[in-house]
Amino acid sequence: MKSFFVVALFVAVAAAAPQQRGPDADAQVLRYDVDNIGVDGFRYAFETSNGISQQEEGQLKNAGSENEAIAVRGQYSYTGPDGVVYTVTYVADENGFQPQGAHLPVGPQ
């Protein structure tokens, strides 16, 4: 019973704590495009008023086979706390998530 009281006390304190609003709390969606009929891939893109953007498209590969997989290509960008715009392009497929960006480390080739 004592441990229940302690947990309940922590939950109450956390719920009563004032919620902090970050600089992105008032961001607005400026653009949102989507093309997804659920049959032959998908495509979407969005952009927000705080400089965040993303676009992505995916295609089903090897449909109906044992090696069926979704191949996705895309990119996203945002402004970091240092004021620099960071952009990441990526591929995600049967080989995993493969990001590239000028700020990302590159492993041995």
Side-chain angles (χ1 to χ4, degrees):
M1 183 70 175
K2 185 176 181 180
S3 61
F4 173 76
F5 178 73
V6 171
V7 170
L9 180 64
F10 280 123
V11 169
V13 169
Q19 301 299 313
Q20 295 181 357
R21 290 177 52 88
D24 298 327
D26 296 322
Q28 303 292 314
V29 175
L30 302 177
R31 180 176 64 96
Y32 179 72
D33 301 318
V34 64
D35 180 14
N36 182 2
I37 60 172
V39 177
D40 192 28
F42 68 90
R43 181 176 308 176
Y44 76 88
F46 70 84
E47 182 178 349
T48 62
S49 60
N50 60 348
I52 296 172
S53 66
Q54 181 174 0
Q55 59 186 23
E56 182 176 282
E57 62 182 55
Q59 197 73 29
L60 183 62
K61 293 173 51 176
N62 304 316
S65 76
E66 190 175 294
N67 298 323
E68 184 174 277
I70 295 178
V72 176
R73 294 186 176 279
Q75 72 98 48
Y76 60 89
S77 62
Y78 62 93
T79 303
D82 55 3
V84 174
V85 175
Y86 293 94
T87 299
V88 175
T89 58
Y90 60 89
V91 173
D93 57 17
E94 65 273 10
N95 297 315
F97 182 65
Q98 305 149 54
Q100 294 182 338
H103 63 290
L104 297 176
V106 178
Q109 300 293 323

